[in-house]
Amino acid sequence: MSENCTHDCSSCGADCASREGGIQKAALNEYSRVKKVIAVVSGKGGVGKSMVTALSAVAANRDGYKVGIMDADITGPSIPKMFGIKDKAKSTELGLLPESTPADIRIMSLNLLTENETDPVIWRGPVIGGVVEQFWTDVFWGDLDVLFIDMPPGTGDVPLTVFQSLPIDGIIVVTSPQELVSMIVAKAVNMAKLMNIPVLGLVENMSYYECPDCGKKLEIFGASKAEEVAAEYGIKLLEKLPINPELVAQADKGKIEFNFGTEMETILNVLDELGCTKGF
């Protein structure tokens, strides 16, 4: 038992002998094998978690990893649109089948289950959390080297469900260069610590814009604080991603997989450090 134990197991991820009716990890779909699970999180919305998730999946896939994405942002799913997926998920005797991109990145999202992608999800937190857990237990992921989870913002029901019920190997924290950045990162990092989940690194999105004419880097949202914040919380700075209108246009057209840049290639170092191997 930790010396800081509050005896409230519902908000703790520690695996200690004194857990009082501790929550068990949900069982993965029996026909699937997933080696590593990485959640992409932030303390607030609008910082580009879905973009970082998509780019991480694309980079890992190109390097030969078998990759999946679980879109856990139930009320604001965007992953299918970024990859141009419009077909609906199908149910089989093996479980619910995720849709696959041309490069075989497997994706599950609520938008693959609703009749229209614009249908609103008006559910309370526990129901949403239950759906996310079913994306783990009822989806036939097959054999994956790594599953990325695109999380909703904040530290509410879904992050709590994911951290408690799924075997998360670590989180990537996404932020932007704004004055509240330190407080926002602190929320995500502190929640991970409470749940006993490693923080794999920090990504600063929209860090700068590079002028196509002169090459000068313009810090549109203010001076970068990425190095300072990473040092403050003792975590690695993985990337400082620029504002890239072409990349945004590719995502809007559902062609993020056909981006040929080098964004988020640092995810390969993260997977290596986690001991993630290719193939079964």
Side-chain angles (χ1 to χ4, degrees):
M1 180 192 303
S2 167
E3 62 181 7
N4 298 318
C5 180
T6 63
H7 302 284
D8 179 11
C9 297
S10 66
S11 62
C12 176
D15 184 17
C16 61
S18 62
R19 284 183 73 84
E20 300 170 356
I23 298 176
Q24 299 295 316
K25 296 294 185 185
L28 177 64
N29 169 274
E30 62 177 313
Y31 303 107
S32 303
R33 291 184 295 176
V34 177
K35 291 180 184 175
K36 300 295 179 181
V37 182
I38 297 175
V40 181
V41 309
S42 177
K44 69 181 292 295
V47 297
K49 290 183 303 301
S50 296
M51 180 66 80
V52 170
T53 302
L55 292 174
S56 297
V58 169
N61 174 266
R62 286 180 183 166
D63 199 57
Y65 290 95
K66 292 292 186 182
V67 180
I69 301 177
M70 180 192 295
D71 190 351
D73 194 351
I74 301 300
T75 60
S78 57
I79 291 295
K81 180 176 176 58
M82 296 175 75
F83 285 88
I85 293 178
K86 297 180 180 179
D87 292 336
K88 301 302 179 182
K90 301 173 182 63
S91 181
T92 72
E93 65 277 6
L94 299 177
L96 197 60
L97 292 183
E99 285 298 310
S100 294
T101 70
D104 197 28
I105 296 175
R106 299 167 198 175
I107 293 173
M108 177 50 66
S109 169
L110 192 69
N111 267 8
L112 304 182
L113 301 175
T114 56
E115 184 175 352
N116 302 299
E117 64 177 17
T118 55
D119 290 345
V121 177
I122 310 174
W123 297 342
R124 295 192 183 275
V127 177
I128 294 175
V131 171
V132 172
E133 188 171 321
Q134 284 184 291
F135 282 174
W136 177 255
T137 60
D138 296 356
V139 172
F140 173 58
W141 291 103
D143 293 340
L144 295 181
D145 295 318
V146 57
L147 176 69
F148 292 99
I149 303 181
D150 183 24
M151 301 280 279
T155 55
D157 286 314
V158 171
L160 187 60
T161 296
V162 170
F163 288 176
Q164 285 184 327
S165 302
L166 275 59
I168 305 298
D169 292 286
I171 67 168
I172 293 173
V173 181
V174 183
T175 187
S176 58
Q178 296 170 331
E179 286 299 324
L180 295 176
V181 62
S182 182
M183 181 186 72
I184 293 164
V185 171
K187 288 179 180 292
V189 170
N190 289 335
M191 182 176 188
K193 288 181 178 179
L194 285 172
M195 307 299 290
N196 198 32
I197 294 174
V199 179
L200 303 176
L202 176 72
V203 174
E204 183 179 73
N205 193 32
M206 299 177 285
S207 184
Y208 59 90
Y209 174 72
E210 186 170 342
C211 176
D213 296 322
C214 67
K216 184 177 180 179
K217 293 183 178 180
L218 307 172
E219 295 178 317
I220 294 176
F221 292 110
S224 171
K225 300 176 180 64
E227 289 89 352
E228 175 186 334
V229 172
E232 180 180 354
Y233 295 102
I235 57 181
K236 293 180 180 179
L237 174 60
L238 298 179
E239 293 271 7
K240 294 172 69 174
L241 295 175
I243 298 171
N244 187 337
E246 292 183 6
L247 197 61
V248 173
Q250 285 178 314
D252 287 343
K253 294 176 182 177
K255 298 183 180 296
I256 194 67
E257 192 173 38
F258 304 103
N259 156 57
F260 292 101
T262 59
E263 294 89 352
M264 280 311 299
E265 283 194 350
T266 49
I267 193 65
L268 305 180
N269 297 329
V270 171
L271 295 177
D272 186 59
E273 291 173 3
L274 284 175
C276 187
T277 56
K278 302 170 188 175
F280 284 80

